[in-house]
C-alpha cells in the first residue's frame, strides 16, 4: 500500500513532543523538556511565548482553557482560565449605554484577564520550574525581537484605521512593520520582568503566589483599573482581585474505545461530545467523501443549535444532552439533504440582530492559538489560549498589551444560560481536547478558529480514529466547516446551509454536496484549520503533528 503523502512527517520518539501554532513557541517548550522540565513547565513556557509572538491571536489580557492528564494525580483535569464579567456589567447597564449587543471592540467588552493566572496555577500545582525560568524566553522575544509573521501584518493592515485612534496601539504597531523583520515590545518585557522581580525570593510556590498577587492585586491590576476607568469601561481592580482560576473535572464521552475529555458547557467542548454521540452509530470509514462531509456537517448543525440555546455558565444538563435516548431523537432528524433548520432539542435560541460588522470586530483570521505537549513521564496537555488581540482593544500604555473582548459572547437579553450576569463566564468557543485509552492519555489535540474549532479539530480526530490516518495525514486532509450557527462574535451572524470547502476537495464531491442543497463556497486550497496534536502509545511511543497552513505551526520532539 502506497503511504499517504503528508506535508511533513508524523513525528515519533520517546523523550517528549511539543506542537503549537508557532515554531518559536514549540522550540521554547521543547528546550524546557530537554533541560529537565516536565510537560507542564514546557506548556507554560510555550504559552507565554505565544503571548509575545502571536499578539494578534492571544495575549496576557486574554483567557486560557486547558485539559490535561497528570501522572502524579492519575486523573484528567480541566484548567479554567476564563475570566468573568465585571461586577458592574449588567444587561441594564449596557442598555443604558445604548447597546443591544456587547460591542466587539473596546474595553466595554473586557472580562477579567484569566490567562496569566491560569498558567501560574498550572505551574504551581503541576510544574517544577521557577517563574523566572519559564518567563525567560517570552521576555527575551519581547525585548530582543522576533520575526513578524504575515498574520500580524495582515491584522494591522486591516485595522490600521482603528489602531490609529488608540495612542499606545498606534505607537507600538504603526506604521505597520515588515513581514520577517524583528519586532519588539519592550513595555511587555518590562511588565513581565517587574513581575519576576517583585516575586523573587523564597520557595518556588511562594514566588508564584507573589507573581499572581502582582498581577491581580498589585501594579498590573492598578494599571488596568486606571486605564479602563479613563476609557469608560466597567472592569475594575476589585474584579481582578476577586477572581481565581480553577481546576475542574472534564465533560466526557466514550467513543470507539476512547474517553474523550472536554471543558464544561462554559466552553464549546460539549458540542464535540454531542457530535461524537450522534456519529457513534455510523460506519464513517465506509462513507464516500461527500457522504462524510454531509453527515458530519448535519451533526454539527444539531450540536451547535443546542450550544446556542443551552450552553453557558449555568446548570447545563449534559446528562440529558449526551444520553442515548436524546441522541437517538436528534439523530433521526438527519436526512440526505442539507437541513435549513436550526433547532435545539429544547430551550430557546437568542433573538436575531441586524448589527453590521465594524473594523476590529470578530476573531482575527479565525484566530486564537493552540499547543499540545507530551513528556516521557506520561503527562499530556492540550491548551487553547485566546483573547487580548491587538486589533480589538487599546494597548494599555504602562503594560504593553490590550485587554480581551470575550464579553461579546454574552447576550443582552434575560433568560438564557449565556445571558450577561456579573461574575459569570462567557460561553466561549475555546475547546482543547484530550482522549484517554483505558484511563491513560492517548491523544491531545485542538485548533484555533472561533466557531470552527469544534469542527476542524473534530474532523482531524475522526480522520485519525475512524479513518485510520496518522496524525499528520489527518491534519493535512482537505478541510471544511459550516457557519450554519449563531456566530459567537459580534455582530452574531448566521449563514444557513453554508458549507466552506478547501478547493482541494474533488469536483464530484462538490457537485454531490451542492445536489444535497449545501450552499458551497470554495476556499483556497490550504486555508482552513490550524490543528496540532500529540499522542502517546501504551509502550511509551510519542507522536506529534502540526498544521502546515500558513507556514507557521510546528511540532518538535524526539
Amino acid at each position: 500500500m502506497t503511504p499517504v503523502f503528508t506535508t511533513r512527517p508524523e513525528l515519533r520518539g520517546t523523550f517528549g513532543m511539543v506542537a503549537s501554532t508557532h515554531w518559536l513557541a514549540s522550540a521554547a517548550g521543547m528546550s524546557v523538556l530537554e533541560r529537565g522540565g516536565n510537560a507542564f513547565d514546557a506548556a507554560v513556557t510555550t504559552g507565554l511565548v505565544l503571548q509575545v509572538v502571536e499578539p494578534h491571536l492571544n495575549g496576557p489580557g486574554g483567557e486560557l482553557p486547558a485539559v490535561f492528564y497528570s501522572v502524579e494525580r492519575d486523573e484528567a483535569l480541566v484548567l479554567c482560565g476564563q475570566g468573568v464579567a465585571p461586577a458592574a456589567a449588567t444587561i441594564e447597564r449596557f442598555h443604558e449605554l445604548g447597546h443591544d449587543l456587547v460591542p466587539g471592540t473596546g474595553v466595554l467588552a473586557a472580562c477579567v484577564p484569566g490567562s496569566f493566572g491560569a498558567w501560574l496555577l498550572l505551574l504551581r500545582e503541576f510544574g517544577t520550574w521557577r517563574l523566572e525560568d519559564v518567563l525567560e524566553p517570552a521576555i527575551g522575544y519581547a525585548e530582543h525581537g522576533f520575526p513578524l509573521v504575515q498574520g500580524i501584518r495582515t491584522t494591522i493592515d486591516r485595522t490600521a484605521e482603528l489602531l490609529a485612534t488608540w495612542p499606545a496601539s498606534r505607537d507600538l504597531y504603526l506604521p505597520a512593520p515588515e513581514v520577517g523583520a524583528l519586532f519588539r515590545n519592550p513595555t511587555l518585557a518590562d511588565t513581565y520582568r517587574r513581575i519576576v522581580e517583585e516575586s523573587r525570593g523564597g520557595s518556588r510556590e511562594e514566588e508564584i503566589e507573589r507573581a499572581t498577587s502582582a498581577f491581580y492585586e498589585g501594579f498590573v491590576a492598578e494599571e488596568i483599573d486606571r486605564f479602563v476607568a479613563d476609557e469608560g469601561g466597567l472592569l475594575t481592580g476589585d474584579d481582578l482581585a476577586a477572581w481565581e482560576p480553577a481546576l475542574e473535572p472534564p465533560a466526557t464521552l466514550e467513543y470507539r474505545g476512547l474517553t474523550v475529555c472536554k471543558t464544561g458547557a462554559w466552553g464549546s467542548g460539549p458540542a464535540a461530545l454531542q457530535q461524537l454521540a450522534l456519529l457513534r452509530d455510523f460506519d464513517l470509514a465506509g462513507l464516500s467523501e461527500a457522504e462524510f462531509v454531509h453527515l458530519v456537517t448535519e451533526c454539527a448543525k444539531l450540536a451547535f443549535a443546542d450550544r446556542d440555546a443551552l450552553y453557558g455558565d449555568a446548570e447545563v444538563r449534559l446528562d440529558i444532552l449526551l444520553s442515548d435516548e436524546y441522541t437517538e431523537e436528534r439523530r433521526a432528524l438527519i436526512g440526505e439533504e442539507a437541513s435549513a433548520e436550526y433547532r435545539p432539542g429544547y430551550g430557546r435560541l437568542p433573538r436575531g440582530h441586524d448589527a453590521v460588522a465594524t473594523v476590529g470586530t470578530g476573531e482575527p483570521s479565525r484566530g486564537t492559538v493552540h499547543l499540545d505537549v507530551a513528556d516521557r513521564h506520561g503527562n499530556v496537555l492540550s491548551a487553547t489560549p485566546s483573547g487580548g488581540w491587538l486589533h480589538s482593544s487599546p494597548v494599555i500604555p504602562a503594560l504593553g498589551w490590550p485587554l480581551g473582548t470575550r464579553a461579546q459572547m454574552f447576550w443582552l437579553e434575560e433568560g438564557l444560560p449565556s445571558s450577561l450576569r456579573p461574575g459569570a463566564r462567557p460561553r466561549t468557543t475555546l475547546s482543547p481536547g484530550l482522549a484517554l485509552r483505558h484511563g491513560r492519555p492517548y491523544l491531545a489535540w485542538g485548533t484555533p478558529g472561533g466557531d470552527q474549532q469544534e469542527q476542524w479539530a473534530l474532523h482531524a480526530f475522526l480522520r485519525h480514529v475512524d479513518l485510520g490516518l496518522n496524525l499528520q495525514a489527518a491534519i493535512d486532509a482537505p478541510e471544511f466547516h459550516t457557519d450554519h450557527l449563531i456566530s459567537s462574535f459580534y455582530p452574531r451572524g448566521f449563514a444557513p446551509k453554508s458549507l466552506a470547502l478547501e478547493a482541494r476537495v474533488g469536483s464530484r464531491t462538490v457537485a454531490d454536496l451542492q445536489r444535497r442543497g449545501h450552499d458551497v463556497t470554495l476556499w483556497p486550497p490550504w486555508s482552513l484549520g490550524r490543528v496540532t496534536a500529540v499522542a502517546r502509545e501504551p509502550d511509551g511511543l510519542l507522536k506529534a503533528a502540526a498544521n502546515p497552513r500558513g507556514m507557521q505551526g510546528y511540532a518538535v520532539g524526539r
Side-chain angles (χ1 to χ4, degrees), residues 305-319:
D306 279 346
R307 181 200 72 168
D308 290 340
L310 302 170
Y311 290 15
D313 192 4
E315 182 181 355
V316 180
R317 294 295 304 274
L318 292 181
D319 58 326

Side-chain angles (χ1 to χ4, degrees), residues 122-351:
L122 186 73
L123 181 67
R124 186 190 72 202
E125 294 296 314
F126 300 94
T128 64
W129 278 29
R130 287 183 174 266
L131 175 67
E132 181 177 14
D133 297 322
V134 297
L135 264 173
E136 180 184 10
I139 292 173
Y141 285 123
E143 182 175 21
H144 302 297
F146 61 91
L148 190 104
V149 296
Q150 180 64 57
I152 300 176
R153 174 59 189 263
T154 299
T155 300
I156 294 172
D157 288 342
R158 288 175 177 171
T159 59
E161 179 182 350
L162 180 61
L163 295 175
T165 67
W166 296 332
S169 300
R170 179 188 63 226
D171 294 345
L172 182 59
Y173 293 113
L174 297 177
E178 294 299 320
V179 174
L182 289 180
F183 180 79
R184 298 172 176 84
N185 187 341
T187 306
L188 172 57
D190 290 343
T191 297
Y192 279 152
R193 187 176 288 108
R194 182 175 172 182
I195 290 175
V196 169
E197 292 301 322
E198 290 194 5
S199 64
R200 192 183 301 281
S203 69
R204 190 183 73 89
E205 292 77 11
E206 288 171 339
E207 287 188 341
I208 294 171
E209 288 294 336
R210 284 196 292 271
T212 302
S213 295
F215 193 102
Y216 290 95
E217 300 176 67
F219 81 95
V220 174
E222 291 169 1
E223 290 294 345
I224 290 173
D225 185 285
R226 183 182 305 112
F227 182 78
V228 172
D230 290 344
E231 292 287 320
L234 303 175
L235 186 67
T236 68
D238 289 341
D239 293 317
L240 272 74
W243 179 82
E244 292 182 347
L247 296 171
E248 302 176 354
T252 63
L253 180 83
E254 298 301 315
Y255 184 84
R256 311 288 197 239
L258 300 174
T259 303
V260 182
C261 304
K262 289 285 184 174
T263 71
W266 52 267
S268 290
L273 304 183
Q274 286 194 255
Q275 291 176 75
L276 291 174
L278 290 165
L279 291 165
R280 271 193 300 208
D281 278 8
F282 294 97
D283 175 16
L284 301 187
L287 301 179
S288 68
E289 184 177 39
E291 290 169 334
F292 178 85
V293 172
H294 170 75
L295 174 62
V296 171
T297 299
E298 295 305 297
C299 290
K301 293 177 184 178
L302 294 172
F304 280 102
D306 279 346
R307 181 200 72 168
D308 290 340
L310 302 170
Y311 290 15
D313 192 4
E315 182 181 355
V316 180
R317 294 295 304 274
L318 292 181
D319 58 326
I320 294 176
L321 297 179
L322 298 175
S323 68
D324 291 342
E325 180 181 4
Y326 181 83
T327 300
E328 289 172 6
E329 293 175 1
R330 300 291 278 165
R331 191 184 294 119
L333 300 175
I334 300 170
E336 292 298 316
E337 296 185 355
S339 174
E341 300 293 325
Y342 199 56
R343 45 193 173 191
Y346 61 98
R348 68 175 179 87
L349 294 169
R351 294 191 301 268

